[in-house]
Amino acid sequence: MSEGTKPETSQLTNKELKELKKKEKAAKRAAKKESIGIKPDAPQRRGGDRPKTASNIKKQINQSKTQSETLKIPPLFGHLETREQRISSTPPQLANIVHPSILTLCLKYSTFKIVGSTHRCQAMLEAFKDVIESYKTPEGTSLSRHLTGHLSHQIEYLKSARPLSTSMGNTIRWLKQEISLISIDETDEQAQLILTEKIDVYIKEKIEYANIAITDSTIQHIVDGSTVLTFGHSQVLLHIFKHVATELNRKFKLVIVDSRPLFEGKKLATELSGYPNISCQYIFINSLSSILQEPVDVVLLGAHAMLSNGRLYSRVGTALIAMSAHKRDIPVLVCCQSIKFSDKVQLDSVTMNELSEGQDLLTMGSKPTKRNGFALEQFLKEKRTQKEEESKGKKNSNNNNNSNSNGVSLTKPEDPLANYREIDNVTILNIMYDLTPPEYIQKVITEVGSLPPSSVPVILREYKGNSSNS
Amino acid sequence: MSSEFDITATYLRFLEDDPDITMPIAAIESLVTLLKIKQPSTSAELITLLSGAISELKTSVPNAISLSAGCDLFMRFVLRNTHLYSDWESCRTNLVENGQLFIQRAKESRNKIAEIGLPFIKDDDIVLVHSYSRVVCNLLIRAFQKHIRFRVICTEARPTETAKSDTMAYLLRQAGIPVAMIYDSEVGFFMHKVDKVFVGAEGVAESGGIINHIGSYQMGVLAKNANKRFYVVAESHKFVRMFPLGPDDLSIKKKLEFSTEDKPIETRHLEFTPHEYITALITDLGVLTPSAVSEELIKMWYD
């Protein structure tokens, strides 16, 4: 049988290939049209139900485009979305309906002006308040139906800056439910008032009061004269340290472990520098093993998300710290609000993660990386390629070495890897998060109490039940 | 009404009158008696009265961990139920009735545990027990009554005064179970002979770890090292909302005193056994893994 079908299959594949090519061409044409600014009928888009095929094809094209460019990520992490992919996959016409405060927020997210899951979530809610306040229900629909769609567009745009954090996801889910609960009879003003009030209450309850509750159950672990080790920056931990130093007037030593390229620990160190009761020690994660030779009483960690299998998803480096502390029998405590609890299950930090710019790892110096906006970068890139082409045109017959030296001259000469995109055998990986297994975590402190990491699903269940009841 | 109602004395009397009663139950019972006698007229008065009595109890009794479990449970129950009733009188009587019902149920729970724990004891087993625990004793005697032939190794549990260790051996021997007494320092020596370990608990922490008479921790470590099963037998009203990471986090802190002169040994009575050494908890709610304790606690407190 197989012998008989052989020629047929080859024919079929040829046909298929042709068809595929046709499709691709059509898609490219469509994409071009879109990028020029011809909108495929807008009302359809507003419905929130974008034609799936078009966007899918666009995504494919985008991927093929970036892959044909120099994609300098280790193959294992190739499935993670790069910033370019993220930006090109958001429809450009979205920018027209995005609220200015969302635009500002996006910029702050993508330049890492606002980092940290809680901080990001709070900033997002504030921006949403602006969006809701300046929102007008179009005729023919009701607020409870249309506003969610409108918000979705804003969120879609937000995602282009950085992927949503778990706390943001949970918050958005909550907000959408609140919107859907608003009765049709309310006027816009009334509904806006209700929603902004609800958002304020949410920030108060889920973030501010949660911080206080978490502080209350954590302070017993920071006694007078103890040594605490922490990693990076966390809003809750900052609150705890301040509280212990001022309200309880306890003296303690704080070891702040920091890492490149975000230098979040510096933020914590500067915030705590005015407190005489805290003697801070700032170290890099590289010297962790030597600092753990000295007695450390407890390790306090912040979280990006607590997954339902008890694993902690947090800034890359956390797992290393938890493991080292566990090996030395130092209790590892995680402080985290219940909005960061996720029903996801993840077994490794490869399948889902956030990819950041590889360039950030290369910038020397101790300042957090300053990043240009995407548009500006694109512009600079274009200029650079133009220049290169010009120079190539001039020295047509010259060998590659010259063009290479040309690339170097554009960037700082002291960075040996500055032109890593041109070096074939170099890839750079800058991931944002890692996963800490539950064995290394002694307890998770939330506003509803302390629990072992194995009990995360319980909180999820109870918490979800509560929110649906109220 | 008698204005000088002494809650601590009542509590201690309850404990004395009924040797079978546990500390949390005695605490709840004395709180119920307090309600019966004092008859507070508003809910605010009730709550201040109760919280005052609870803090008094907690401070006056040296070993307050398992007691506080009962107090917190009752307080929680009161706070949740006061707003359910429209008129105050029915609310108060209801509280008292419910409190008594709770005490009744708690007393029965020991038998229930014996029923649930029965399959864990098999013919020809050698069971290691530590110190005196009513629940464990009850379980073993029930197993013996069901004609399971097993032997018991009983530790001396030395510094613990409250749980006179020979009580355990005495009670078991009286029931007809062959018992061997050993010193606490001999646990490691005999661990390989043992099939399973049963201990009681003063309190069960949120992590699933237990607070129990001193000596339980080393027994747990040795059992785990020898791959023996380590069971905790405890009533669910002993679940406490606390999460110690080690012995330092218990309220009974005692510093070691180093000295070059001769000094008598200071005794400590309670210690914390972390959850990783516990195979399972046999409770009246069923057989739980240590991590299920926090689930039950959260259910109790957030339902």
Side-chain angles (χ1 to χ4, degrees), chain B residues 4 17 19-20 31 67 75 100 109 139 158 172 190 207 216 246 248 255 273 276:
Chain B
E4 52 279 338
D17 288 350
D20 274 345
L31 287 177
L67 170 147
M75 194 64 185
Q100 269 154 353
S109 67
L139 168 62
R158 185 62 89 109
L172 292 177
F190 287 111
S207 60
S216 311
D248 289 348
K255 270 197 177 163
T273 310
E276 53 260 46

Short mmCIF file of all heavy atoms in Angstrom, two decimals, chain B residues 4 17 19-20 31 67 75 100 109 139 158 172 190 207 216 246 248 255 273 276:
data_model
loop_
_atom_site.label_atom_id
_atom_site.label_comp_id
_atom_site.label_asym_id
_atom_site.label_seq_id
_atom_site.Cartn_x
_atom_site.Cartn_y
_atom_site.Cartn_z
N GLU B 4 -17.78 37.64 91.91
CA GLU B 4 -16.38 37.19 91.84
C GLU B 4 -16.31 35.72 91.42
O GLU B 4 -16.03 34.83 92.21
CB GLU B 4 -15.62 37.45 93.15
CG GLU B 4 -16.23 36.96 94.45
CD GLU B 4 -17.30 37.92 94.94
OE1 GLU B 4 -17.28 39.10 94.54
OE2 GLU B 4 -18.14 37.48 95.70
N ASP B 17 -12.26 17.30 88.66
CA ASP B 17 -13.45 16.47 88.86
C ASP B 17 -13.51 15.32 87.88
O ASP B 17 -13.90 14.21 88.22
CB ASP B 17 -14.71 17.33 88.70
CG ASP B 17 -14.88 18.25 89.89
OD1 ASP B 17 -14.12 18.07 90.86
OD2 ASP B 17 -15.74 19.15 89.84
N PRO B 19 -11.32 13.21 85.41
CA PRO B 19 -9.97 12.92 84.90
C PRO B 19 -9.94 12.67 83.41
O PRO B 19 -8.88 12.73 82.79
CB PRO B 19 -9.55 11.68 85.69
CG PRO B 19 -10.83 11.06 86.14
CD PRO B 19 -11.81 12.18 86.33
N ASP B 20 -11.10 12.39 82.83
CA ASP B 20 -11.12 12.08 81.40
C ASP B 20 -11.20 13.31 80.52
O ASP B 20 -11.08 13.22 79.30
CB ASP B 20 -12.33 11.19 81.10
CG ASP B 20 -11.98 9.73 81.33
OD1 ASP B 20 -10.77 9.45 81.43
OD2 ASP B 20 -12.89 8.91 81.45
N LEU B 31 -16.18 28.32 80.35
CA LEU B 31 -16.73 29.52 79.71
C LEU B 31 -18.25 29.46 79.65
O LEU B 31 -18.95 30.46 79.87
CB LEU B 31 -16.15 29.69 78.31
CG LEU B 31 -14.68 30.13 78.24
CD1 LEU B 31 -14.20 30.18 76.80
CD2 LEU B 31 -14.50 31.48 78.89
N LEU B 67 -5.32 24.70 75.81
CA LEU B 67 -6.43 25.45 76.38
C LEU B 67 -6.89 26.56 75.45
O LEU B 67 -8.09 26.77 75.24
CB LEU B 67 -5.96 26.02 77.71
CG LEU B 67 -6.75 27.02 78.50
CD1 LEU B 67 -6.49 26.76 79.95
CD2 LEU B 67 -6.35 28.43 78.17
N MET B 75 -14.89 31.24 71.27
CA MET B 75 -15.02 32.66 70.94
C MET B 75 -15.46 32.82 69.50
O MET B 75 -16.34 33.63 69.19
CB MET B 75 -13.66 33.33 71.17
CG MET B 75 -13.70 34.82 71.20
SD MET B 75 -14.66 35.39 72.60
CE MET B 75 -14.66 37.14 72.30
N GLN B 100 -22.84 23.20 75.47
CA GLN B 100 -22.94 21.90 76.13
C GLN B 100 -22.95 20.77 75.12
O GLN B 100 -22.34 19.72 75.31
CB GLN B 100 -24.19 21.86 77.01
CG GLN B 100 -23.86 22.33 78.41
CD GLN B 100 -25.04 22.89 79.13
OE1 GLN B 100 -26.11 23.07 78.55
NE2 GLN B 100 -24.86 23.20 80.40
N SER B 109 -15.95 12.11 70.97
CA SER B 109 -14.99 12.01 69.87
C SER B 109 -13.87 11.03 70.19
O SER B 109 -13.29 10.44 69.28
CB SER B 109 -14.43 13.39 69.53
OG SER B 109 -13.63 13.85 70.59
N LEU B 139 -7.64 4.18 72.52
CA LEU B 139 -7.52 3.46 71.25
C LEU B 139 -6.92 2.07 71.46
O LEU B 139 -7.41 1.07 70.93
CB LEU B 139 -6.66 4.29 70.29
CG LEU B 139 -6.17 3.62 69.01
CD1 LEU B 139 -7.34 3.20 68.15
CD2 LEU B 139 -5.27 4.55 68.23
N ARG B 158 10.25 11.27 81.02
CA ARG B 158 10.72 11.62 82.35
C ARG B 158 10.27 12.97 82.93
O ARG B 158 9.49 12.97 83.88
CB ARG B 158 12.25 11.49 82.42
CG ARG B 158 12.83 11.73 83.81
CD ARG B 158 12.31 10.70 84.79
NE ARG B 158 13.16 9.55 84.81
CZ ARG B 158 13.98 9.22 85.81
NH1 ARG B 158 14.01 9.96 86.88
NH2 ARG B 158 14.72 8.16 85.74
N LEU B 172 -2.78 0.28 80.79
CA LEU B 172 -2.74 -0.72 79.72
C LEU B 172 -2.58 -2.12 80.31
O LEU B 172 -3.22 -3.08 79.87
CB LEU B 172 -1.59 -0.42 78.76
CG LEU B 172 -1.76 0.84 77.91
CD1 LEU B 172 -0.52 1.06 77.04
CD2 LEU B 172 -3.00 0.76 77.04
N PHE B 190 15.57 0.68 70.76
CA PHE B 190 14.47 -0.25 70.50
C PHE B 190 13.71 0.05 69.20
O PHE B 190 12.80 -0.69 68.86
CB PHE B 190 13.48 -0.23 71.67
CG PHE B 190 13.99 -0.92 72.89
CD1 PHE B 190 14.31 -0.22 74.04
CD2 PHE B 190 14.18 -2.31 72.87
CE1 PHE B 190 14.80 -0.87 75.15
CE2 PHE B 190 14.67 -2.96 73.99
CZ PHE B 190 14.99 -2.24 75.13
N SER B 207 0.48 23.70 60.51
CA SER B 207 1.28 22.98 59.52
C SER B 207 1.03 21.49 59.60
O SER B 207 1.43 20.74 58.72
CB SER B 207 2.75 23.26 59.76
OG SER B 207 3.11 22.83 61.05
N SER B 216 8.79 13.74 72.15
CA SER B 216 8.09 13.30 70.94
C SER B 216 8.91 13.59 69.69
O SER B 216 8.91 12.81 68.74
CB SER B 216 6.75 14.03 70.81
OG SER B 216 6.04 13.97 72.01
N GLY B 246 9.62 26.21 65.15
CA GLY B 246 10.49 25.41 65.99
C GLY B 246 10.10 25.63 67.43
O GLY B 246 9.15 26.35 67.72
N ASP B 248 11.31 27.46 69.60
CA ASP B 248 11.40 28.85 70.05
C ASP B 248 10.09 29.60 69.88
O ASP B 248 9.84 30.59 70.55
CB ASP B 248 12.49 29.58 69.25
CG ASP B 248 13.87 29.10 69.64
OD1 ASP B 248 13.96 28.40 70.67
OD2 ASP B 248 14.83 29.42 68.92
N LYS B 255 15.24 29.81 78.42
CA LYS B 255 16.62 29.93 77.96
C LYS B 255 17.50 28.93 78.69
O LYS B 255 17.29 28.61 79.85
CB LYS B 255 17.12 31.34 78.21
CG LYS B 255 16.84 32.25 77.04
CD LYS B 255 17.69 33.50 77.12
CE LYS B 255 17.45 34.37 75.90
NZ LYS B 255 17.93 35.73 76.11
N THR B 273 6.93 19.09 67.33
CA THR B 273 7.39 18.12 66.35
C THR B 273 6.91 18.57 64.98
O THR B 273 5.70 18.63 64.76
CB THR B 273 6.81 16.73 66.66
OG1 THR B 273 7.05 16.44 68.03
CG2 THR B 273 7.42 15.67 65.79
N GLU B 276 6.92 17.07 59.06
CA GLU B 276 7.54 16.10 58.15
C GLU B 276 7.83 14.76 58.82
O GLU B 276 8.11 13.78 58.15
CB GLU B 276 8.79 16.66 57.48
CG GLU B 276 9.84 17.25 58.38
CD GLU B 276 9.76 18.76 58.42
OE1 GLU B 276 8.64 19.29 58.57
OE2 GLU B 276 10.80 19.43 58.34
#
